[in-house]
Amino acid sequence: QVQLVESGGGLVQAGGSLTLSCAASGSIAYIPVMGWYRQAPGKQRDLVATMTRGGGTNYGDSVKGRFTISRDNAKNMVYLQMNSLKPEDTAVYYCTAAGVRNTNRLSIGDYWGQGTQVTVSS
């Protein structure tokens, strides 16, 4: 019903920057919350940042001041600008859409993308 496709991952040196993008498609009226989580090998999936449709944000402690989330509600897209990247930011980054409302304004659940790899070399 809903697909999320991430792009923009890759390899970058420590101190560098990357921008991730995520596009949601399907029978979508609106998405209350979109965001990013990440998972490093052998670790749990952790919050990076989320953003409400109205612009409210929530960031994981380890990325505050370095990462910026933004979204385009009309296009059902969310972005993550990552600056001052560190080797510990290396992970698979997953896009999420929470509480998606379909064209009948019914909640059809939460969705995840397939993930995009971000590798930061020291």
Side-chain angles (χ1 to χ4, degrees):
Q1 289 181 316
V2 175
Q3 288 188 324
L4 300 178
V5 178
E6 302 105 333
S7 61
L11 173 64
V12 65
Q13 288 188 329
S17 299
L18 278 176
T19 300
L20 305 183
S21 300
C22 173
S25 62
S27 300
I28 300 170
Y30 65 90
I31 305 173
V33 180
M34 297 188 77
W36 298 90
Y37 284 71
R38 67 186 182 187
Q39 188 167 20
K43 296 188 177 181
Q44 66 181 17
R45 190 173 295 189
D46 290 330
L47 167 71
V48 177
T50 59
M51 191 172 196
T52 68
R53 189 175 178 221
T57 58
N58 184 33
Y59 289 93
D61 288 340
S62 62
V63 306
K64 287 179 181 177
R66 299 187 298 124
F67 292 9
T68 302
I69 189 171
S70 60
R71 60 184 287 180
D72 184 329
N73 292 333
K75 296 180 179 179
N76 291 322
M77 293 193 69
V78 64
Y79 308 93
L80 186 68
Q81 174 66 45
M82 303 184 292
N83 297 327
S84 302
L85 283 160
K86 305 174 182 180
E88 51 264 43
D89 294 318
T90 296
V92 177
Y93 284 68
Y94 295 92
C95 174
T96 183
V100 178
R101 298 296 197 270
N102 67 10
T103 51
N104 293 318
R105 298 297 194 270
L106 298 174
S107 176
I108 56 174
D110 303 340
Y111 294 85
W112 293 86
Q114 292 296 309
T116 185
Q117 177 71 45
V118 172
T119 302
V120 184
S121 63
S122 57

